[in-house]
Amino acid sequence: MEPYLLEYLRGVGIVDHVSAATVACEVCGGDEHEVLVDTVDIGNDRFGRLPVVGCVNCGFLYQNPRFNQEFYDNYYDKYYRLMLFGDSAPEKDFLLDQVRRGEHLYRSLASRLPQQGRLLDVGCSAGGLMLAFAKRGWEVLGTDPDSSYVEFGKRRLGLRLQAVPAEAMQLPEGGFDLIVITGSLEHVFDVNRVLALCRKACAPGGLLFIEGRALNYGLIKGHFSHNHRRYLSLQSIELLMLKHGWTPILSTEDPLCGPTRPGAVHVLGRAGDALAAAALQGEIEGGRRESLAALKTRLRPLRGAS
């Protein structure tokens, strides 16, 4: 393993049973990329080298190389919340923010939702976002790899939650009218497997709501965080939806989940047919992308930008 990757791993505190490999673009499969940012925040005012690249073909931003799944499973179950908040259980303000964000989201989507339905929240943390739906008669299920947050939500909120990485979810086929992934898609190990599982679990004509925040939040902060495997834009979320069988029907930077995540972007898609590779490439060439030149200009203020 490259010395700079070992230095990063020591900074995080996980060095055993870790490997790294270069990965292709998760959107279009292209293997031609360019390093755009090489330094990321690893917490507590510390920075380390961990390259963020842009796909030459579609403009997708992602960390490359990538570590093995065991590293990420271990990190998100035992380290992530502890490093982020200094505690393994959610604070009151964090939980209240989840609940308020859920209320904002329900009201933002209400005109497009059935009166009652079935909701899946992928990366739900303690599950507070689902309360707005549950109190209106929705059946809800949340999944998250952080076992302590899941147990808190089950115990304190009485919600149906599962402590499981998103790639290992076992879901009923066609079981959900609405699937929400608010920020968590930027963290998962295998974004394509997660979306494939979600598509299989989505009811005919069902909805997928994805929130991305890592890209614009990084621009606001002046640096990228190491916690995000990918940095989603409206275009890259739309392409991922099209690839896996949702047609985007709303793409916006409006704060659909409330004001506490500045810079977040949101895409809502309705279940349909997945696009074949050639059709997806047609969407890319038709303008559903960002050029690397445009990305370089946007990212220039970031620490570690090339």
Side-chain angles (χ1 to χ4, degrees):
M1 191 181 296
E2 294 287 345
Y4 75 89
L5 293 176
L6 287 172
E7 184 177 351
Y8 162 78
L9 292 170
R10 292 188 192 102
V12 174
I14 307 175
V15 295
D16 295 331
H17 310 294
V18 182
S19 59
T22 300
V23 294
C25 174
E26 296 169 313
V27 172
C28 71
D31 57 10
E32 189 176 357
H33 58 263
E34 186 174 337
V35 176
L36 301 183
V37 177
D38 70 358
T39 301
V40 294
D41 173 30
I42 60 175
N44 299 319
D45 296 320
R46 297 174 301 150
F47 289 82
R49 186 181 171 201
L50 189 63
V52 176
V53 306
C55 174
V56 171
N57 180 47
C58 71
F60 182 56
L61 277 174
Y62 61 104
Q63 288 180 2
N64 202 11
R66 196 77 55 77
F67 301 107
N68 57 314
Q69 186 165 359
E70 182 180 354
F71 166 79
Y72 297 114
D73 289 349
N74 190 25
Y75 175 72
Y76 283 110
D77 184 26
K78 298 181 175 67
Y79 293 85
Y80 172 58
R81 304 287 181 189
L82 190 61
M83 292 180 69
L84 204 60
F85 301 117
D87 198 342
S88 59
E91 294 182 353
K92 181 180 179 181
D93 287 346
F94 174 87
L95 192 58
L96 286 174
D97 182 62
Q98 274 204 312
V99 173
R100 290 168 182 153
R101 280 170 43 78
E103 189 66 35
H104 279 289
L105 179 60
Y106 180 85
R107 293 180 181 182
S108 295
L109 301 184
S111 64
R112 302 174 186 267
L113 299 175
Q115 186 172 0
Q116 293 182 348
R118 298 154 296 173
L119 168 68
L120 171 66
D121 186 351
V122 180
C124 68
S125 184
L129 182 142
M130 299 190 296
L131 284 177
F133 294 82
K135 75 180 186 181
R136 291 174 170 90
W138 280 60
E139 296 179 27
V140 301
L141 171 66
T143 68
D144 196 276
D146 190 321
S147 55
S148 63
Y149 271 55
V150 164
E151 288 305 313
F152 181 93
K154 289 166 68 175
R155 184 176 67 254
R156 296 288 295 274
L157 303 179
L159 294 168
R160 184 179 167 217
L161 307 179
Q162 296 177 0
V164 62
E167 295 82 5
M169 295 184 297
Q170 296 187 13
L171 304 169
E173 186 169 348
F176 299 97
D177 302 291
L178 173 64
I179 299 172
V180 300
I181 314 177
T182 55
S184 303
L185 203 62
E186 292 168 313
H187 294 268
V188 300
F189 175 72
D190 187 340
V191 67
N192 286 300
R193 174 163 175 76
V194 172
L195 288 177
L197 289 173
C198 288
R199 182 62 187 86
K200 189 175 181 180
C202 190
L207 297 169
L208 171 66
F209 176 83
I210 296 177
E211 176 188 76
R213 67 179 303 220
L215 173 54
N216 286 341
Y217 190 61
L219 290 169
I220 292 169
K221 297 274 287 185
H223 55 259
F224 278 156
S225 165
H226 76 119
N227 288 316
H228 302 113
R229 312 302 142 224
R230 54 203 64 82
Y231 302 81
L232 295 175
S233 64
L234 289 173
Q235 293 91 338
S236 57
I237 296 174
E238 290 171 351
L239 288 170
L240 284 167
M241 282 192 176
L242 290 165
K243 179 179 181 179
H244 286 279
W246 286 275
T247 300
I249 59 175
L250 175 66
S251 298
T252 182
E253 295 187 9
D254 292 342
L256 300 187
C257 295
T260 55
R261 287 191 174 181
V265 298
H266 308 96
V267 181
L268 181 70
R270 188 173 299 281
D273 296 325
L275 290 189
L280 187 70
Q281 183 61 29
E283 291 283 342
I284 293 168
E285 293 174 359
R288 210 185 287 263
R289 68 187 300 275
E290 284 193 89
S291 71
L292 289 194
L295 281 171
K296 286 180 180 178
T297 299
R298 289 187 70 193
L299 301 181
R300 192 172 295 146
L302 290 182
R303 177 168 178 159
S306 60

